[in-house]
Amino acid sequence: MIGFRGSKLGRAGMVGAAALAMVLTLAGCANDKLASEYTSADNKNYIAGDGSVTEIAAKDREKPVSYEGKDEEGKNITSADLLGDVVVLNFWYAGCAPCRAEAPDLQALNEKYDGKGASFVGVNVYDQAETALAFNKTYGVTYPSILDINDGAVKLAFTGQVRPNAVPTTLVIDKEGRVSARILGKISDRSILDTLIRDTIAEK
């Protein structure tokens, strides 16, 4: 097993910033029924995660994980094509309330790091293409998602290292294709994922 170390993102003001960011994010989802269910702690239609962050020191990371699949537009995505970039891999599906709630944060970071060393890829664990495309249109998501519903191959590829056993789960993959961090559950604060991405890009 990988030797995990707990997150060291407890920087000054992080707790207050996280609380404020969650209020602002969820306020934007006020008209979304499923997102409202999430804010009321009604765990319908998703497997809850606590938002915990696990970082893996470079020396403790296991071998690169290989995966591939077709996205919602039928294009093939492979881990080999993404080597050299940090990859943010987000496991989600359209009926998942916290997935909807965190979509604006993921998209904002996708735009921030576009062409700057990080690529975003979703892994849709439940939906077919039509549903995934409708979600993208509703939430303004522009990065692709592998449709993993038919064989679960992408999820299975990571199970031996960092099981994505909550939905959503977000993995940060280093430039060599190794898992460097995991957020289990909804991203509680955009700045946390931002820091994980930035730090992983900066690694030599």
Side-chain angles (χ1 to χ4, degrees):
M1 291 295 293
I2 291 174
F4 290 131
R5 61 185 175 85
S7 172
K8 296 185 178 180
L9 296 176
R11 295 173 171 83
M14 181 66 75
V15 173
L20 176 58
M22 181 171 287
V23 169
L24 294 175
T25 298
L26 297 179
C29 300
N31 295 323
D32 186 317
K33 181 177 183 295
L34 287 175
S36 296
E37 287 176 355
Y38 171 65
T39 64
S40 66
D42 186 356
N43 294 353
K44 295 179 180 177
N45 300 320
Y46 68 94
I47 303 168
D50 60 5
S52 60
V53 179
T54 302
E55 293 181 84
I56 307 168
K59 64 182 180 62
D60 294 326
R61 294 173 196 163
E62 293 196 8
K63 63 182 181 180
V65 178
S66 296
Y67 56 91
E68 67 177 302
K70 293 191 180 299
D71 70 10
E72 58 272 83
E73 295 184 345
K75 298 176 182 177
N76 203 48
I77 296 175
T78 75
S79 53
D81 293 336
L82 298 167
L83 289 177
D85 263 5
V86 169
V87 178
V88 180
L89 206 63
N90 176 256
F91 292 77
W92 70 283
Y93 65 95
C96 156
C99 300
R100 295 184 176 208
E102 72 176 7
D105 286 333
L106 289 166
Q107 176 59 24
L109 291 172
N110 172 55
E111 293 173 9
K112 177 177 180 177
Y113 286 100
D114 183 26
K116 297 178 181 178
S119 297
F120 280 64
V121 178
V123 180
N124 190 304
V125 300
Y126 186 81
D127 304 314
Q128 297 296 342
E130 184 177 352
T131 302
L133 288 168
F135 180 97
N136 292 347
K137 183 176 181 180
T138 299
Y139 292 93
V141 175
T142 59
Y143 56 86
S145 286
I146 295 172
L147 301 182
D148 207 38
I149 176 62
N150 294 323
D151 58 13
V154 179
K155 184 176 181 180
L156 184 62
F158 287 93
T159 297
Q161 293 194 22
V162 283
R163 184 185 302 273
N165 56 348
V167 181
T169 288
T170 301
L171 303 179
V172 179
I173 315 296
D174 70 16
K175 300 169 191 175
E176 298 177 23
R178 304 174 302 169
V179 179
S180 66
R182 178 186 68 179
I183 301 176
L184 192 64
K186 179 188 174 294
I187 300 164
S188 61
D189 188 300
R190 183 187 304 176
S191 65
I192 294 174
L193 179 56
D194 193 357
T195 299
L196 293 170
I197 297 169
R198 187 176 66 246
D199 288 352
T200 308
I201 290 174
E203 291 176 352
K204 301 300 183 183

